[in-house]
Amino acid sequence: MSTKKEDLLHMAEILFYDHGFHSIGLKKIVNESNIAMMTLYNHFASKDELVIEVLKRREERYMEHLAFFATYLKDHGEGSERDSAFVRIASAHARWLTDHSAKGCLFLRAKEEYGAQHDHPVVTLADGHKRLLREFVQASDPARSAEEALRLCLLMEGATALAESEEGPLVAREMIVMAEILFA
Amino acid sequence: MSTKKEDLLHMAEILFYDHGFHSIGLKKIVNESNIAMMTLYNHFASKDELVIEVLKRREERYMEHLAFFATYLKDHGEGSERDSAFVRIASAHARWLTDHSAKGCLFLRAKEEYGAQHDHPVVTLADGHKRLLREFVQASDPARSAEEALRLCLLMEGATALAESEEGPLVAREMIVMAEILFA
DNA sequence: TATAATATAATGATCGTTCTATCTATAAAG
DNA sequence: CTTTATAGATAGAACGATCATTATATTATA
């Protein structure tokens, strides 16, 4: 992929996450990226397509982080007390939260901003991400019920949201504690 | 308060919640309210002030709902098994969730959209709301630790967020189950 | 020589906000 | 009961700014 295109996607993700999708203009994105407007339109057909590619890349990164970190915790489990798959996923999500700034879930925010157009591709993508996440949770421990999988998703969403108004590390720690109680 | 002003606040809240703050223009608000633009500016100095009044009214309504419903559940507790104060608050929040459409927390969304301007009055108001909510939770059962109060807040935030992508009543039910396990 | 990126300007639309001028309703004064 | 005064609401145009998008023409790179 072109360097310019990567720069654009990188800066667009930062600005969208900091300011929201509708608040940020393409002009600011190309200015901050030191890239000409026509170069943006050479790589993306429209702002919507840029938004979609930003979200797709973020989803890929997030799911990879979750899978990698959960696997790592499984192999390098802390001595005698080895966590369940659900607790490991909670820990992996906690790590993501503390590594990233506290502005909530970009997919939920996208759905909220574009949600009025019910069949907008951004909304479809956001819904797909949430479904993928739930299926990932369920598949990590098929012995668990669908209700239990939903509960872990609720914990993860809760931590993401609460970290917007409370201290991130504290929130992450409490989420793991709750996961340990619920999924011992 | 003037009827026109109430109509404006009512319609503005609906449109902001459905489309977001930056996506919706004042023109759409006054059109949908069948009110002249100058009447809006006669009651509100700016769009920001309209946003702030919408949020203030919503906070008042939400906190009243929480207090009323939690008190009601305390007095009319279900026979032998009377819930703890924390579980009652969870139930009250669940009721709010099922009564309102599923577009997340308007205060978090406001903070996300205006969060770049760190000292913007909308951000201050949103932060104040989250602090008020946590203090309300803590005060409902002073015997509980601050960590436990934070956990209930996490459950409530999680249910609000998860209800955006999963079925509301199901999410509300599971949140209450989790609260009962954690705060028996 | 061909491809990619550049700067700049123009498009038409919409944004928040203000101005002007007209209209309507209620309330005080005759 | 009128008349007049006051205030609130109306429609519509205009403001400058910004929006996403496109056109043009030039420069750099490979």
Short mmCIF file of all heavy atoms in Angstrom, two decimals, chain B residues 24 53 64 74-75 92 108 120 153 157 163 180:
data_model
loop_
_atom_site.label_atom_id
_atom_site.label_comp_id
_atom_site.label_asym_id
_atom_site.label_seq_id
_atom_site.Cartn_x
_atom_site.Cartn_y
_atom_site.Cartn_z
N ILE B 24 -26.81 17.21 13.00
CA ILE B 24 -28.13 17.85 12.88
C ILE B 24 -27.96 19.38 12.86
O ILE B 24 -27.24 19.95 13.67
CB ILE B 24 -29.06 17.40 14.03
CG1 ILE B 24 -30.45 17.07 13.50
CG2 ILE B 24 -29.17 18.45 15.09
CD1 ILE B 24 -30.51 15.91 12.55
N GLU B 53 -29.01 22.80 27.37
CA GLU B 53 -30.32 22.70 28.03
C GLU B 53 -30.96 21.35 27.78
O GLU B 53 -31.65 20.80 28.64
CB GLU B 53 -31.22 23.86 27.58
CG GLU B 53 -30.82 25.19 28.20
CD GLU B 53 -32.03 26.05 28.56
OE1 GLU B 53 -33.09 25.48 28.91
OE2 GLU B 53 -31.92 27.29 28.48
N GLU B 64 -34.30 11.40 38.11
CA GLU B 64 -35.60 11.24 38.76
C GLU B 64 -36.13 9.83 38.56
O GLU B 64 -36.68 9.21 39.48
CB GLU B 64 -36.61 12.25 38.19
CG GLU B 64 -36.94 13.38 39.14
CD GLU B 64 -37.82 14.42 38.47
OE1 GLU B 64 -38.67 14.03 37.64
OE2 GLU B 64 -37.65 15.62 38.76
N LYS B 74 -37.92 -0.71 46.40
CA LYS B 74 -37.63 -0.96 47.82
C LYS B 74 -38.91 -1.17 48.62
O LYS B 74 -39.01 -2.07 49.44
CB LYS B 74 -36.85 0.24 48.38
CG LYS B 74 -36.53 0.11 49.85
CD LYS B 74 -35.76 1.32 50.37
CE LYS B 74 -35.34 1.09 51.81
NZ LYS B 74 -34.04 1.68 52.12
N ASP B 75 -39.92 -0.33 48.34
CA ASP B 75 -41.17 -0.41 49.09
C ASP B 75 -42.03 -1.59 48.66
O ASP B 75 -42.71 -2.19 49.47
CB ASP B 75 -41.95 0.91 48.92
CG ASP B 75 -41.18 2.09 49.49
OD1 ASP B 75 -40.29 1.85 50.32
OD2 ASP B 75 -41.48 3.23 49.11
N ALA B 92 -33.69 -0.38 37.98
CA ALA B 92 -34.24 0.91 37.54
C ALA B 92 -33.60 1.34 36.21
O ALA B 92 -34.28 1.82 35.30
CB ALA B 92 -34.01 1.97 38.61
N LEU B 108 -22.37 10.50 27.16
CA LEU B 108 -21.11 10.00 26.61
C LEU B 108 -20.94 10.46 25.17
O LEU B 108 -19.86 10.86 24.75
CB LEU B 108 -21.07 8.48 26.69
CG LEU B 108 -20.56 7.88 27.98
CD1 LEU B 108 -20.38 6.37 27.84
CD2 LEU B 108 -19.25 8.53 28.39
N HIS B 120 -14.89 22.63 27.17
CA HIS B 120 -16.19 23.01 26.61
C HIS B 120 -17.29 22.70 27.62
O HIS B 120 -17.28 21.67 28.26
CB HIS B 120 -16.43 22.23 25.31
CG HIS B 120 -17.55 22.77 24.48
ND1 HIS B 120 -18.88 22.61 24.83
CD2 HIS B 120 -17.56 23.46 23.33
CE1 HIS B 120 -19.63 23.18 23.91
NE2 HIS B 120 -18.86 23.71 22.99
N CYS B 153 -21.58 0.80 38.25
CA CYS B 153 -21.55 1.76 37.14
C CYS B 153 -21.10 1.08 35.85
O CYS B 153 -21.65 1.32 34.78
CB CYS B 153 -20.61 2.93 37.48
SG CYS B 153 -21.25 4.04 38.75
N GLU B 157 -23.21 1.01 32.39
CA GLU B 157 -22.66 1.50 31.12
C GLU B 157 -22.61 0.38 30.09
O GLU B 157 -22.90 0.58 28.91
CB GLU B 157 -21.24 2.05 31.35
CG GLU B 157 -21.15 3.26 32.27
CD GLU B 157 -21.65 4.53 31.62
OE1 GLU B 157 -21.98 4.51 30.42
OE2 GLU B 157 -21.73 5.55 32.34
N ALA B 163 -26.82 -2.68 24.45
CA ALA B 163 -28.19 -2.62 23.93
C ALA B 163 -28.24 -1.93 22.57
O ALA B 163 -29.27 -1.95 21.90
CB ALA B 163 -29.10 -1.88 24.92
N GLU B 180 -27.19 -9.24 40.46
CA GLU B 180 -27.62 -10.11 41.57
C GLU B 180 -26.48 -11.02 42.02
O GLU B 180 -26.32 -11.29 43.21
CB GLU B 180 -28.83 -10.95 41.13
CG GLU B 180 -30.13 -10.14 41.13
CD GLU B 180 -31.27 -10.87 40.45
OE1 GLU B 180 -31.00 -11.84 39.70
OE2 GLU B 180 -32.43 -10.46 40.64
#
